[in-house]
Amino acid sequence: MKVLIFCSAVIPAAGIAVELLTRKSYGKLPSGTLYVPAVCRVCWHIISLALAMMGILPTDLSMKSRQTLWVLMALCVALIEIPTWMSRRYRAAVVKDTLYVTPYWGKKRALPLSQISRVWRSTRHEALNICTEGKLFCRIPGICVGYKEFRRMLEERGLLPCWK
């Protein structure tokens, strides 16, 4: 159990350190590249670190209840940390007339903008859903840096209805 608690506290702390040490490398990305900002990931790491610290605090619970608390805490930390670390990988870029997407999970994909059949905004998640040939190609989260410019570019090309 001590290893579980240790890992639950070290992983978010390591994430904060990685974000702070690599934050200058994002300035080298070409214009037109969308990515999840490091500030969001740091906030998510801080939240999971706070959860891990709550598991370390002494309580008046029995040992069995305390172990259950540790397992639930580690599960919550994992459910926050896994997507947070995966979001470091996400990139979307428009180069010439091709959309390149590196998703959270999987291989990098390319789609010519002329093959986009439908684009709609998911109001629940504030994301752009891009379809080709009736299948969902990718989702562009609204939290990405460059999201508004990307949405404006799609509106100018007539792929997305205008809205405010």
Side-chain angles (χ1 to χ4, degrees):
M1 279 298 170
K2 301 245 185 223
V3 172
L4 184 70
I5 296 169
F6 179 74
C7 288
S8 296
V10 167
I11 292 172
I16 292 169
V18 166
E19 293 299 336
L20 294 176
L21 293 174
T22 61
R23 67 182 170 167
K24 293 183 181 175
S25 66
Y26 291 116
K28 298 174 186 168
L29 292 173
S31 64
T33 301
L34 292 94
Y35 59 93
V36 179
V39 173
C40 293
R41 288 192 299 269
V42 168
C43 291
W44 296 330
H45 288 306
I46 290 171
I47 290 168
S48 60
L49 185 61
L51 281 171
M53 290 298 128
M54 288 184 345
I56 293 173
L57 294 175
T59 60
D60 293 335
L61 299 173
S62 66
M63 190 57 168
K64 188 170 185 171
S65 297
R66 192 175 299 146
Q67 287 176 346
T68 304
L69 175 70
W70 289 337
V71 169
L72 289 174
M73 176 267 312
L75 182 64
C76 289
V77 168
L79 289 174
I80 294 171
E81 285 298 314
I82 291 171
T84 302
W85 281 95
M86 287 170 56
S87 69
R88 285 185 58 79
R89 185 173 188 270
Y90 183 83
R91 296 277 182 280
V94 177
V95 179
K96 296 184 181 175
D97 278 342
T98 306
L99 173 65
Y100 294 96
V101 177
T102 306
Y104 298 119
W105 190 267
K107 292 188 251 179
K108 184 176 182 177
R109 299 177 293 187
L111 175 70
L113 293 178
S114 61
Q115 291 183 3
I116 294 177
S117 62
R118 181 175 173 219
V119 178
W120 77 95
R121 186 181 74 156
S122 170
T123 54
R124 182 176 181 196
H125 299 105
E126 187 60 36
L128 289 178
N129 299 313
I130 299 175
C131 287
T132 178
E133 300 172 4
K135 295 190 294 186
L136 182 67
F137 177 73
C138 71
R139 284 189 179 98
I140 307 290
I143 199 169
C144 285
V145 172
Y147 174 80
K148 289 182 182 178
E149 292 81 13
F150 180 73
R151 190 179 75 193
R152 200 171 304 123
M153 184 267 307
L154 290 176
E155 288 172 359
E156 290 170 359
R157 291 177 182 254
L159 296 169
L160 185 67
C162 296
W163 77 86
K164 293 183 180 183

